């Protein structure tokens, strides 16, 4: 009998098998079940946490008044996300008060004598509606007036606001059960479509996201979230199971032990830097951390150079070839003033503090967003070599790639640059961090002007910073570099000119003037800047200071000054680490490999060898240009295209979709193409305001989100393809059912509207008829009375 029951426990049938064989099979089955159990639990928890911690997935957010007793309203910032209502003290989400688990709640409108609109979230059986842990793992929320455990009374400022909140909460509470069937069918599939744009959430994606928190399939209540580190006490159904599993644990130390160790890892709680449990099979470029970096000191000392007599004679020889006002772009400069890196590399100096842009992308206030953009802009100047140095002029077709890792958000900022024209010399660049919500693009035309004892290197062009979730563009220009003391005096390099940073969508702008040192100026007047941050024509703040040291900001309204930016040693230590492409994986036209012999000679202080190697490269470039001219061929850029109308250069593989935390897995780069690994090749929610190229569809369960047509998916087997197609058909059928239901509701609404309009028309058309009949009847009666009166009078006076 025991034998039969054991067989039943394993597979539900009464097969005649040996006792030892049954035990072995049961043990293996239990091992698989436990593994699936842990993975399923890990996946479900990660999906909820990614929704909670991702700042871009927001259904609604606003101030609401909340109370539990008859008095004591507390004004709190409420953020509605799929499955949860997060309550904070401030809009910056810094002071967490509590998290309401919506799957435990009912919603009801509440009558109120006061202005506004009142409604109630409550548990019908008076159980707790609160999660025990906060979105970042907080054990205790911000101290506020005590809120009840089983219900909340909430007041919105107006009826329209309240109705809006009611609709959104109703959707979060009720609609998740519609897709329970789909989730059960899919098993481990978790294709959760959610727009990263806080103002645009897919209806279907919202239902799918809410389904995580309701129903029997994935029960995530408050106790579940408390135990989301997977230290489960319900692993065993009873005490005997736990005792009998001792030998199983011993035989499965490698598998079960590691899984439980990873389950208890708390790194997932810190922010959204969770590690995906699935292996990601992608072919990407190998990047290595930059080993050496030169940082010049602040002030004039790092920008001056005393030229030796030998090098002065070289300068005199050079100056005989040029005239004042002449463009120096075609003049071959001596190698002793060269910085041993390309100009394409130099342009990447602006992104060592790209985390400022990550912060700006999350900033809700447009003024503070502009301030953080300006702070990031200023952070790109203090990195400078010692002395008067100029980077290499890039060769046509030269490319440069690098990236920075953001530890706090577990994201990467990729930088791609290419020399797209030689005469005139134009460098195009593209920077992308989709996960943190920003990208930059632009092109720079480098010009040089000679003025006798000085020359200016003008960087003509503009950069365009885009916040993907907001559709905002910040257009910015660059200062020029001014070198003086060429013929006499000390050679000094300064920055000059006025730059502008403007955001047309918000109306905010900033103007920064880089000031050259006056003729009789002291050391404090070196590297000075002054600037303004404005909304339209109104000046909101004044900037003063030095671009390589401290800058202060003074608020115009309060007249209070504070430090705005100061690259202290502590700030420099917190710079993002930069990674460059492994030398062996670079092609022949990448900057480091292309200029390697020149760089080696300069580092060895062998000016003759450096000049010779530089001449070899430049001569090869001239020869290639002549050959193309003879053949009538046009140069084709590898990574950038020029717009025939505007003349602007655009990165061929730009992807400006907002990041979808439930579908986008990782952004990576291969052979100059920045692309995204996604879980599912499903239609993505698009933001109409942001223009983008259509994403090419790949086969398989996972794919790459990139316009690159030749990228092969990492999962392309026929079995997976058939399985995936089956799932897509199922999902399509379910979506079709949902859409047909919605259409049916719409048709019913239209019928009701038509009936109401018909009734209204009938009433309005009948009303005058009744009046007319009534008036006619009165007239008849009046006439009849007159006739009778006339008859009576006639009778009396006969």
């Amino acid at each position: 009998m025991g034998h039969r029951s054991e067989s039943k426990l394993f597979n539900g049938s009464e097969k005649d098998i040996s006792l030892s064989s049954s035990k072995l099979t049961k043990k293996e089955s239990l091992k698989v079940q436990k593994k699936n159990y842990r993975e399923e639990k890990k996946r479900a928890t990660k999906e909820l946490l990614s929704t909670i911690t991702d700042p871009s997935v927001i259904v609604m957010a606003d101030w609401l008044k909340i109370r539990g007793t008859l008095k004591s309203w507390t004004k709190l910032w409420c953020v509605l996300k799929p499955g949860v209502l997060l309550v904070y003290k401030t809009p910056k989400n810094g002071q967490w008060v509590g998290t309401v688990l919506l799957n435990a709640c009912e919603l009801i409108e509440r009558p109120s004598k006061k202005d506004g609109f009142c409604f109630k979230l409550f548990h019908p059986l008076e159980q707790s509606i609160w999660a025990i842990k906060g979105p970042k793992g907080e054990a205790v929320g911000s101290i506020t007036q005590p809120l009840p455990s089983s219900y909340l009374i909430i007041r919105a400022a107006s009826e329209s606001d309240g109705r809006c909140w009611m609709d959104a909460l109703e959707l979060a509470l009720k609609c998740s059960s519609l897709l329970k069937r789909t989730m059960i069918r899919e098993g481990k599939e978790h294709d959760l479509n959610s727009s990263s744009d806080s103002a645009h959430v897919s209806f279907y994606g919202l239902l799918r996201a809410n389904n995580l928190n309701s129903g029997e399939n994935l029960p995530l209540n408050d106790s579940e979230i408390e135990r989301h580190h997977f230290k489960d006490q319900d692993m065993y159904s009873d005490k005997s199971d736990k005792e009998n599993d001792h030998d199983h644990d011993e035989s499965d130390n490698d598998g079960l032990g590691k899984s439980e160790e990873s389950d208890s890892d708390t790194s997932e709680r810190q922010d959204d830097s969770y590690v995906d449990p699935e292996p990601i099979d992608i072919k990407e470029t190998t990047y290595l951390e930059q080993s050496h970096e030169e940082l010049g000191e602040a002030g004039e000392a790092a920008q001056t150079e005393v030229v030796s007599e030998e090098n002065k004679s070289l300068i005199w020889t050079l100056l005989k070839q040029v005239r004042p006002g002449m463009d120096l772009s075609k003049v071959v400069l001596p190698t002793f003033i060269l910085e041993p890196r390309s100009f394409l590399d130099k342009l990447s100096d602006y992104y060592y503090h790209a985390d400022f842009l990550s912060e700006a992308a999350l900033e809700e206030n447009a003024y503070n967003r502009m301030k953080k953009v300006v702070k990031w802009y200023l952070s790109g100047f203090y990195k400078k070599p010692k002395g008067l140095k100029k980077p290499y002029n890039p060769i046509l077709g030269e490319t440069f790639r690098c990236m920075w890792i953001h530890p706090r958000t577990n994201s990467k900022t990729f930088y791609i640059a290419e020399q797209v024209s030689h005469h005139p010399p134009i460098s195009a660049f593209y920077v992308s961090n989709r996960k943190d919500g920003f990208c930059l693009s632009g092109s720079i035309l480098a010009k040089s002007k000679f003025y006798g004892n000085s020359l200016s290197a003008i960087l003509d062009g503009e950069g365009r910073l885009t916040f993907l979730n907001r559709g905002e563009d910040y257009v910015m220009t660059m200062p020029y570099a001014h070198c003086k003391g060429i013929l006499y005096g000390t050679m000094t390099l300064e920055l000059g000119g006025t730059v502008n940073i403007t955001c047309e969508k918000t109306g905010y702008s900033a103007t920064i003037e880089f000031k050259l040192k006056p003729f009789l100026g002291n050391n404090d007047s070196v590297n000075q800047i002054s600037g303004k941050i404005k909304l339209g024509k109104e000046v909101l703040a004044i900037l003063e200071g030095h671009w390589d040291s401290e800058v202060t900001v003074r608020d115009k309204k309060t007249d209070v000054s504070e430090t705005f930016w100061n690259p202290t040693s502590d700030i420099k230590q917190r710079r993002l680490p930069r990674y460059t492409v492994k030398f062996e994986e670079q092609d022949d036209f990448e900057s480091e490999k292309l200029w390697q012999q020149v760089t080696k000679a300069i580092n060895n202080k062998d000016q003759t060898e450096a000049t010779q190697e530089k001449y070899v490269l430049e001569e090869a470039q001239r020869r290639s240009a002549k050959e193309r001219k003879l053949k009538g061929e046009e140069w084709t850029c590898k990574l950038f295209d020029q717009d025939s109308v505007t003349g602007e250069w655009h990165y061929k593989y730009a992807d400006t979709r907002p990041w979808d935390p439930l579908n986008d897995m990782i952004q990576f780069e291969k052979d100059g193409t920045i692309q995204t690994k996604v879980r599912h090749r499903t239609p993505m929610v698009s933001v109409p305001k942001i223009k983008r190229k259509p994403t090419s569809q790949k086969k398989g369960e996972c794919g790459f989100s990139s316009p690159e047509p030749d990228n092969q998916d990492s999962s392309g087997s026929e079995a997976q393809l058939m399985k995936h197609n089956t799932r897509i058909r199922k999902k399509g059928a379910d979506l079709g059912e949902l859409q047909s239901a919605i259409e049916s509701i719409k048709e019913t609404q239209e019928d009701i509207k038509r009936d109401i309009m018909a009734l209204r028309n009938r009433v309005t058309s009948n009303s005058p008829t009744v009046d007319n009949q009534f008036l006619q009847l009165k007239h008849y009666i009046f006439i009849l009375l007159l006739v009778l009166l006339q008859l009576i009078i006639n009778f009396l006076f006969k």
Side-chain angles (χ1 to χ4, degrees):
M1 190 69 182
H3 163 69
R4 289 163 64 87
S5 64
E6 282 184 344
S7 297
K8 277 188 178 182
L9 283 173
F10 169 54
N11 57 13
S13 64
E14 296 184 19
K15 294 184 179 178
D16 186 17
I17 54 177
S18 68
L19 186 62
S20 60
S21 173
S22 174
K23 279 186 175 178
L24 181 65
T25 314
K26 180 184 175 185
K27 188 186 295 182
E28 290 175 350
S29 172
L30 193 59
K31 178 180 175 181
V32 172
Q33 288 172 11
K34 286 179 180 178
K35 182 181 178 184
N36 291 341
Y37 168 80
R38 287 191 302 271
E39 288 180 355
E40 185 75 8
K41 197 165 189 185
K42 209 172 193 179
R43 177 188 64 76
T45 306
K46 192 199 72 176
E47 283 171 346
L48 177 64
L49 289 175
S50 66
T51 303
I52 292 174
T53 55
D54 192 289
S56 58
V57 182
I58 297 174
V59 181
M60 285 189 72
D62 201 357
W63 288 105
L64 290 173
K65 288 184 178 179
I66 298 178
R67 72 169 169 86
T69 58
L70 294 175
K71 300 177 182 178
S72 307
W73 289 96
T74 307
K75 192 174 181 182
L76 296 168
W77 180 257
C78 298
V79 179
L80 178 61
K81 295 195 170 206
V84 292
L85 179 68
L86 300 171
V87 183
Y88 297 95
K89 263 194 168 183
T90 61
K92 291 190 176 181
N93 302 355
Q95 293 176 290
W96 171 75
V97 173
T99 300
V100 178
L101 300 170
L102 295 177
N103 68 312
C105 295
E106 294 290 337
L107 178 68
I108 189 170
E109 183 180 340
R110 195 173 186 278
S112 175
K113 294 179 182 178
K114 295 183 179 180
D115 292 336
F117 183 88
C118 216
F119 59 90
K120 186 176 183 179
L121 275 171
F122 67 100
H123 195 293
L125 301 178
E126 298 189 1
Q127 294 295 308
S128 174
I129 61 174
W130 298 95
I132 296 177
K133 296 285 185 180
K136 295 180 181 177
E138 300 98 331
V140 180
S142 176
I143 297 172
T144 183
Q145 290 187 345
L147 294 173
S149 63
S150 61
Y151 70 95
L152 284 180
I153 299 171
I154 301 173
R155 178 185 295 280
S158 64
E159 183 170 355
S160 60
D161 287 354
R163 293 286 179 194
C164 190
W165 272 99
M166 284 276 286
D167 291 343
L169 285 163
E170 195 74 40
L171 185 66
L173 288 167
K174 302 296 183 187
C175 294
S176 58
S177 59
L178 291 175
L179 290 173
K180 188 186 297 181
R181 232 175 30 255
T182 309
M183 294 296 289
I184 293 170
R185 281 179 190 167
E186 291 178 0
K188 287 191 180 181
E189 289 298 316
H190 45 282
D191 173 25
L192 303 162
N193 298 318
S194 174
S195 168
S196 291
D197 185 12
S198 60
H200 187 87
V201 176
S202 160
F203 177 73
Y204 183 61
L206 186 58
L207 298 184
R208 296 296 299 275
N210 275 283
N211 192 41
L212 288 175
N213 302 308
S214 67
E216 299 159 4
N217 197 34
L218 297 173
L220 281 179
N221 52 29
D222 49 349
S223 61
E224 184 72 16
I225 289 183
E226 180 194 17
R227 297 198 308 267
H228 89 278
H229 294 298
F230 314 109
K231 293 180 179 177
D232 296 341
Q233 301 304 316
D234 59 346
M235 178 73 84
Y236 305 95
S237 56
D238 56 35
K239 187 177 180 181
S240 61
D241 276 359
K242 188 169 184 178
E243 291 170 352
N244 293 335
D245 201 57
H246 178 68
D247 59 333
H248 170 74
D249 287 344
E250 289 179 352
S251 63
D252 192 32
N253 282 335
D254 292 336
L256 182 63
K258 285 181 182 176
S259 297
E260 292 195 343
E261 183 181 336
S262 62
D263 286 351
S264 63
D265 183 7
T266 59
S267 62
E268 293 181 7
R269 292 306 296 265
Q270 302 310 314
D271 46 43
D272 64 344
S273 61
Y274 57 84
V275 179
D276 199 279
E278 302 171 8
I280 301 174
D281 180 22
I282 54 176
K283 295 179 180 178
E284 59 180 321
T285 302
T286 305
Y287 283 85
L288 302 175
E289 187 167 359
Q290 184 176 335
S291 56
H292 173 71
E293 182 184 8
E294 186 177 0
L295 278 174
E297 296 299 319
E300 188 177 16
Q303 298 155 231
T304 59
E305 186 162 334
V306 178
V307 184
S308 66
E309 292 301 320
E310 179 187 356
N311 290 333
K312 271 192 175 178
S313 64
L314 286 172
I315 293 176
W316 275 106
T317 305
L318 173 67
L319 295 179
K320 290 176 184 177
Q321 307 171 35
V322 299
R323 299 175 303 280
M326 180 179 175
D327 186 354
L328 300 181
S329 60
K330 295 182 180 181
V331 176
V332 179
L333 295 174
T335 55
F336 77 89
I337 66 167
L338 292 179
E339 182 183 2
R341 60 172 178 156
S342 172
F343 179 65
L344 300 182
D345 185 347
K346 175 84 171 176
L347 284 175
S348 74
D349 287 354
Y350 283 88
Y351 308 101
Y352 282 90
H353 292 282
D355 50 336
F356 293 167
L357 294 179
S358 302
E359 294 173 12
L362 300 180
E363 178 58 60
E364 293 299 324
N365 183 284
Y367 172 54
N368 290 335
R369 218 159 40 242
M370 173 57 82
K371 287 206 293 186
K372 287 185 177 179
V373 169
V374 174
K375 180 181 173 182
W376 161 78
Y377 183 85
L378 291 173
S379 73
F381 291 103
Y382 72 84
K383 176 179 162 55
K384 54 188 177 181
K386 182 168 175 53
L388 192 151
K389 301 293 180 184
K390 176 189 174 301
Y392 309 139
N393 288 331
I395 287 172
L396 181 63
E398 179 183 335
T399 60
F400 180 77
R401 297 177 284 168
C402 64
M403 73 161 184
W404 293 261
I405 291 180
H406 298 238
R408 290 182 63 188
T409 56
N410 192 31
S411 65
K412 296 174 182 177
T413 294
F414 290 95
Y415 171 90
I416 304 284
E418 181 178 7
Q419 191 70 6
V420 294
S421 172
H422 185 61
H423 290 305
I426 300 175
S427 307
F429 62 91
Y430 181 78
V431 180
S432 178
N433 186 333
R434 282 190 59 230
K435 185 175 182 182
D436 285 4
F438 66 87
C439 70
L440 294 100
S441 61
S443 58
I444 300 294
L445 167 60
K447 302 176 182 177
S448 300
K449 294 290 183 182
F450 175 60
Y451 304 109
N453 192 42
S454 64
L455 62 87
S456 291
I458 302 163
L459 302 180
D460 189 11
E462 61 185 29
R464 185 177 297 269
L465 163 66
T466 302
F467 289 131
L468 307 182
N469 295 337
R470 304 180 186 279
E472 288 178 359
D473 288 342
Y474 292 75
V475 180
M476 56 199 73
T477 56
M478 295 182 71
Y480 65 86
H482 184 74
C483 178
K484 62 184 181 182
I486 297 175
L487 299 178
Y488 54 87
T490 305
M491 289 183 70
T492 307
L493 184 67
E494 299 177 89
L495 296 180
T498 301
V499 301
N500 297 296
I501 304 172
T502 57
C503 179
E504 185 178 351
K505 184 175 178 179
T506 64
Y508 285 91
S509 64
T511 304
I512 304 171
E513 182 188 356
F514 289 76
K515 300 177 180 180
L516 299 178
K517 181 183 176 182
F519 184 70
L520 297 176
N522 56 20
N523 289 336
D524 190 53
S525 59
V526 175
N527 300 338
Q528 273 193 323
I529 63 163
S530 64
K532 299 173 183 177
I533 299 176
K534 299 186 288 185
L535 175 58
K537 294 183 179 180
E538 181 189 1
V539 177
L540 302 177
I542 303 292
L543 299 172
E544 294 286 348
H546 301 81
W547 55 259
D548 60 346
S549 56
E550 186 177 15
V551 177
T552 59
V553 61
R554 178 168 58 86
D555 190 285
K556 281 283 285 184
K557 289 182 179 178
T558 62
D559 205 37
V560 174
S561 294
E562 61 181 357
T563 299
F564 181 69
W565 164 246
N566 190 7
T568 60
S569 57
D570 183 49
I571 292 289
K572 291 178 183 179
Q573 285 175 0
R574 282 188 276 154
R575 303 160 85 231
L576 299 179
R578 191 179 83 152
Y579 292 75
T580 53
V581 180
K582 187 179 181 180
F583 189 82
E584 289 75 17
E585 291 189 23
Q586 295 181 23
D587 66 36
D588 292 339
F589 264 72
E590 293 206 51
S591 298
E592 186 183 357
K593 185 172 277 190
L594 184 69
W595 294 92
Q596 59 178 313
Q597 299 301 332
V598 181
T599 301
K600 184 179 178 181
I602 290 176
N603 289 336
N604 291 336
K605 295 185 169 46
D606 188 342
Q607 301 301 333
T608 306
E609 178 68 16
T611 303
Q612 177 60 33
E613 292 294 344
K614 184 167 173 283
Y615 174 78
V616 169
L617 290 176
E618 291 164 346
E619 187 58 34
Q621 183 175 229
R622 284 189 284 267
R623 190 166 54 250
S624 297
K626 286 180 181 178
E627 290 174 1
R628 286 194 302 274
K629 191 174 182 180
L630 288 172
K631 293 178 182 179
E633 295 177 351
E634 290 290 329
W635 174 262
T636 304
C637 294
K638 179 182 177 183
L639 301 171
F640 289 83
D641 281 327
Q642 188 174 24
D643 190 306
S644 57
V645 178
T646 63
E648 294 180 353
W649 291 91
H650 300 288
Y651 179 59
K652 291 181 180 180
Y653 312 109
D655 186 354
T656 56
R657 291 177 301 114
W659 183 261
D660 182 349
L662 297 173
N663 194 46
D664 294 329
M665 295 168 71
I666 186 172
Q667 193 177 18
F668 66 99
E669 181 274 329
K670 178 64 176 173
D671 297 331
T673 306
I674 303 172
Q675 49 200 302
T676 305
K677 178 78 170 177
V678 294
R679 286 189 176 88
H680 308 281
R681 301 307 309 174
T682 53
M684 299 211 181
V685 180
S686 61
V687 181
K689 294 178 183 177
I690 300 178
K691 296 179 181 179
R692 60 183 178 88
K693 294 184 179 180
T695 303
S696 59
Q697 296 295 316
K698 312 288 189 304
K699 64 181 181 177
E701 180 180 330
C702 297
F704 297 122
S705 167
S706 168
E708 172 61 74
D710 298 326
N711 288 336
Q712 295 300 316
D713 199 316
S714 61
S715 53
S717 68
E718 292 183 10
Q720 285 174 319
L721 177 61
M722 292 174 66
K723 186 178 177 183
H724 179 55
N725 289 339
T726 304
R727 280 194 299 269
I728 288 177
R729 282 195 294 273
K730 286 179 181 178
K731 282 185 278 190
D734 290 318
L735 180 57
E737 289 176 21
L738 184 61
Q739 288 175 336
S740 63
I742 293 170
E743 289 300 324
S744 176
I745 293 169
K746 285 182 179 177
E747 288 174 10
T748 307
Q749 287 177 333
E750 291 298 326
D751 291 340
I752 293 169
K753 282 182 182 177
R754 281 195 293 270
D755 292 341
I756 291 171
M757 289 300 294
L759 285 170
R760 188 178 295 165
N761 292 336
R762 192 177 298 170
V763 169
T764 53
S765 61
N766 288 342
S767 296
T769 307
V770 173
D771 291 344
N772 290 339
Q773 288 174 350
F774 180 74
L775 289 172
Q776 288 173 0
L777 187 61
K778 277 202 307 186
H779 292 156
Y780 289 140
I781 292 170
F782 185 67
I783 292 168
L784 186 60
L785 288 170
L786 286 174
V787 171
L788 288 170
L789 183 64
Q790 186 65 42
L791 288 172
I792 292 169
I793 292 171
N794 289 339
F795 179 77
L796 292 172
F797 288 97
K798 254 185 185 178

